[in-house]
Every structure is written in structure tokens, then in C-alpha cells.
Amino acid sequence: MPHYQAWEEFTRAAEKLYLADPMKVRVVLKYRHCDGNLSIKVTDDVACLLYRTDQAQDVKKIEKFHSQLMRLMVAKESRSAAMETD
């Protein structure tokens, strides 16, 4: 399971994974209070992408990216066009 250190790298890989097959992709957010870690995992059962952070400023980035993916998942318009405009 690739664990990404760079946020931009993770978002590009997650977008690519989602656009390849939107019906199979799942997104999981997990917060561990004992460690103070927030992790986001994007998977399609073949590939699994993971980004983990303990920095407070990364929470807004993760929240924005997560909401962007959720909007794409419920949108009826072209998924690739919507991802490029955001």
C-alpha cells in the first residue's frame, strides 16, 4: 500500500484512480485520537492509496479534497470535466 508523503502527489494519484473507474472507488477518512493522526485512504480493491498527517493545516486540505470527490460521485455531469475545473 503506497503511503504518500506529498499531498499533491496523493491527490493526483487519487483523482487518476477515481477517474479510471468511478463505480469501484471508495474513500475512507479515519482519525485516531490517541496518535493525533488523520488519514485518508482511496481504494478500488486493486490499488490502495494512503495519506496520513498529524498537522492541523492539512485537515482543511483533506476536507476540501474529500468534499470535491463526494461532489463528483453524486454529479450527473461529466466527471473528468468537473475534476479539471476545481
Side-chain angles (χ1 to χ4, degrees):
M1 170 180 348
H3 181 108
Y4 288 89
Q5 300 295 326
W7 174 249
E8 292 79 20
E9 212 176 294
F10 171 77
T11 57
R12 275 186 262 133
E15 288 171 4
K16 185 177 176 184
L17 186 66
Y18 175 75
L19 293 174
D21 193 359
M23 295 304 291
K24 288 189 175 183
V25 172
R26 293 188 315 274
V27 180
V28 178
L29 282 174
K30 184 165 84 171
Y31 176 71
R32 286 181 44 101
H33 181 71
C34 61
D35 298 333
N37 285 335
L38 178 67
S39 63
I40 182 169
K41 181 168 77 169
V42 181
T43 183
D44 67 352
D45 291 332
V46 176
C48 185
L49 311 173
L50 180 66
Y51 180 78
R52 184 174 293 140
T53 185
D54 60 355
Q55 303 297 313
Q57 67 261 21
D58 288 343
V59 174
K60 283 291 186 188
K61 292 181 201 175
I62 291 174
E63 182 181 20
K64 182 178 176 185
F65 181 69
H66 187 253
S67 66
Q68 180 182 4
L69 282 177
M70 293 301 113
R71 278 196 318 266
L72 283 174
M73 288 179 181
V74 299
K76 291 184 180 181
E77 65 186 41
S78 171
R79 296 182 193 307
S80 60
M83 185 63 95
E84 291 171 1
T85 59
D86 286 342

